[in-house]
Every structure is written in structure tokens, then in C-alpha cells.
Amino acid sequence: MTEAAIHSTYYEIQPDDPWWPSASYGIPVANIQCRVVDKQGRDCPGWVKGESWVSGAGVATGYHGDEERTAEKFVVWQQRRWYRTGDVASYRPDGILYFFGRADNQVKIRGHRVELGEVEGALSRLPQVENAVAVVLSGATRKLAAALLAHQPLDLAASKQLA
């Protein structure tokens, strides 16, 4: 996450590690704390999926010039500032944190964060478009693709409304 200046967790893979259906985030590094919480912000017990929160040294204080998003993503709990990552995670009973994906439609394409809903919204604002859906195509490189239901042919390259 770019909201932290350093990695916030680590996990050393062992040759005899079992295969897990998710990626191991591991445990927090020094001066970092992690939580997995439910929709009410309560800690989830082991194996229960929730949103990953991160706090501590190196975690940003907010988004420059975006007070609304800062208030949504950076929260205070028990006198500590936490970043709500939007990642779905769970703890194993031994304290290892596992990542399962995103709680929203945010994806990464060539290192850039893309909100699929924003792409769909921009396409749907075109007057000819009735509906749009954005997806990620996997292959040698991940690519962004969209399917549109339009009332007439489109020239997306010429559309200034997408900018």
C-alpha cells in the first residue's frame, strides 16, 4: 500500500509450508500494528474474514487535499490512528495474517490503482451508453477491458467526455 512508507508486514516462506488458498501477509514489522475487523469495526476472531487495518510508524496521516476520503479511510480507534486498507484478510490462530483480495472493486494494472466502478461510471456518462461493466483480463500482462451496451456506434477515441 502506498499509504505506508514501508512494508507493514513480513512472512518468511519455509520449504515445508503448506499450500494456502491465499497470500500470507505474515506478521506486523516493528512499530506496526494490524487488525482484522468486521463492518462495525470489531476485531474478528481467527479464520474470520474482515477488513485489514494498519497503524503505526510510516502510515500516512491522510490524503493531501482530500479531507472526505481521509475521513473515510483514516480512523481513530482506542486513541490510535488506523488506515482502513480495503483488503479482505483473516488471522490464523497462530497470529499469521492472510490476504484474500479486495473488499471493493479496486484493481492494479501495471502498478496503477484503478477503481472499476469509476471506469464504469465514466463510460456510462456517455450519452449513447445505457450500461457499462469493467473487468481485468489476465494474461502475460493484466489489461483493463470494458463491455458497453450502447444505443448507437461509439468512437471512444474521439470522446472528450472520458477525460
Side-chain angles (χ1 to χ4, degrees), residues 73 85-86 88 102-107 115:
K73 299 297 275 182
T85 69
V88 176
R102 296 285 304 168
D104 54 20
N105 285 328
Q106 185 184 93
V107 297
E115 293 279 354

Side-chain angles (χ1 to χ4, degrees), residues 39-63:
K39 292 182 190 280
Q40 288 76 40
R42 300 174 299 199
D43 289 309
C44 293
W47 298 117
V48 175
K49 293 178 184 177
E51 182 182 18
S52 173
W53 288 15
V54 178
S55 182
V59 176
T61 57
Y63 296 107

